[in-house]
Amino acid sequence: MERSTAVSMELPAEAYLWFKAFHIIGVVVWFAGLFYLVRLFIYHVEAEEQPEAVRPLLRQQYGLMERRLANIITTPGMAVAVTMAIGLLVVNPGWLREGWMHAKLGFVALLLAYHAFCYRLMGQLHANSCQWSGRQLRALNEAPTLLLVVVVMLVVFKNDFPSGATTWLSAGLVIAMAASIQLYARKRRLRAEREAGSHAG
């Protein structure tokens, strides 16, 4: 009787560790895919600025890369992350009564909406009907970074989510990083436009 009880206690603990390991792997793959997918969207949109002769080839190439990345890496990563998260909640049902988990699930819902929106943009790009500019897509590409930071902090701190100077400093660093990326991209684009203008002149 004692042995069977010990085995029953070990199984949920082992299951928790497996669910947790594959959940982390799924999250890493999912976010890697999301980050690169929107970067491909940027290249796809900016391909319209290239000479007419190479535009069809670039559209085809980026379209193929987008579909493969979304369907082979990004979406499977999302599926693994979500499935393993459900497993974690089954093993630890008490988490569903915690405020931090409610907040985390809300942000995960936003990530899922972002994921679905990326598929919508991909369809528009393939139909040559996307109205988003490269600059707008660069700003959009920062959204999962902010969501990732918040979700990780919720998981680490749970109900003791910090609200002091360290938290604001961390948020400021993330915002500064996103702003610096935008400024660098803008500087590079302006430089390319100037070089193109000088060659044309």
Side-chain angles (χ1 to χ4, degrees):
M1 182 69 177
E2 292 181 357
R3 178 174 176 78
S4 63
T5 302
V7 171
S8 65
M9 291 178 64
E10 289 173 2
L11 286 177
E14 183 176 355
Y16 167 80
L17 293 177
W18 279 110
F19 286 141
K20 184 177 182 179
F22 279 99
H23 177 63
I24 294 172
I25 293 170
V27 169
V28 171
V29 173
W30 185 18
F31 273 87
L34 286 176
F35 290 143
Y36 190 46
L37 184 60
V38 179
R39 177 58 55 180
L40 287 176
F41 292 168
I42 295 169
Y43 298 151
H44 196 145
V45 167
E46 293 182 345
E48 298 302 316
E49 301 171 5
Q50 300 301 316
E52 179 65 33
V54 300
R55 288 180 197 172
L57 180 61
L58 290 173
R59 291 193 202 107
Q60 181 181 8
Q61 181 63 33
Y62 288 131
L64 178 62
M65 293 171 68
E66 289 158 3
R67 285 192 297 271
R68 286 179 175 174
L69 177 63
N71 297 328
I72 299 176
I73 296 177
T74 312
T75 297
M78 179 270 291
V80 170
V82 172
T83 303
M84 295 301 104
I86 293 172
L88 287 170
L89 291 175
V90 170
V91 175
N92 299 279
W95 283 352
L96 291 172
R97 296 189 293 271
E98 300 287 341
W100 69 270
M101 179 57 69
H102 299 162
K104 179 190 174 184
L105 291 176
F107 285 111
V108 171
L110 290 176
L111 277 169
L112 292 171
Y114 180 89
H115 184 106
F117 185 68
C118 285
Y119 264 84
R120 180 181 177 184
L121 284 176
M122 185 167 63
Q124 293 175 352
L125 285 166
H126 295 174
N128 294 324
S129 62
C130 182
Q131 301 300 314
W132 285 64
S133 67
R135 183 176 182 180
Q136 290 172 323
L137 288 170
R138 284 186 174 86
L140 179 70
N141 202 27
E142 305 305 327
T145 302
L146 298 175
L147 291 172
L148 177 62
V149 170
V150 174
V151 168
V152 169
M153 291 183 69
L154 282 168
V155 172
V156 171
F157 293 102
K158 296 181 171 57
N159 290 325
D160 296 322
F161 195 87
S163 58
T166 303
T167 302
W168 292 108
L169 177 61
S170 300
L173 288 174
V174 172
I175 294 172
M177 179 181 66
S180 64
I181 292 172
Q182 295 294 323
L183 290 173
Y184 173 75
R186 183 173 183 272
K187 181 180 178 181
R188 189 178 63 177
R189 185 172 64 255
L190 291 174
R191 183 174 58 194
E193 290 175 355
R194 285 196 301 267
E195 291 176 353
S198 64
H199 290 319

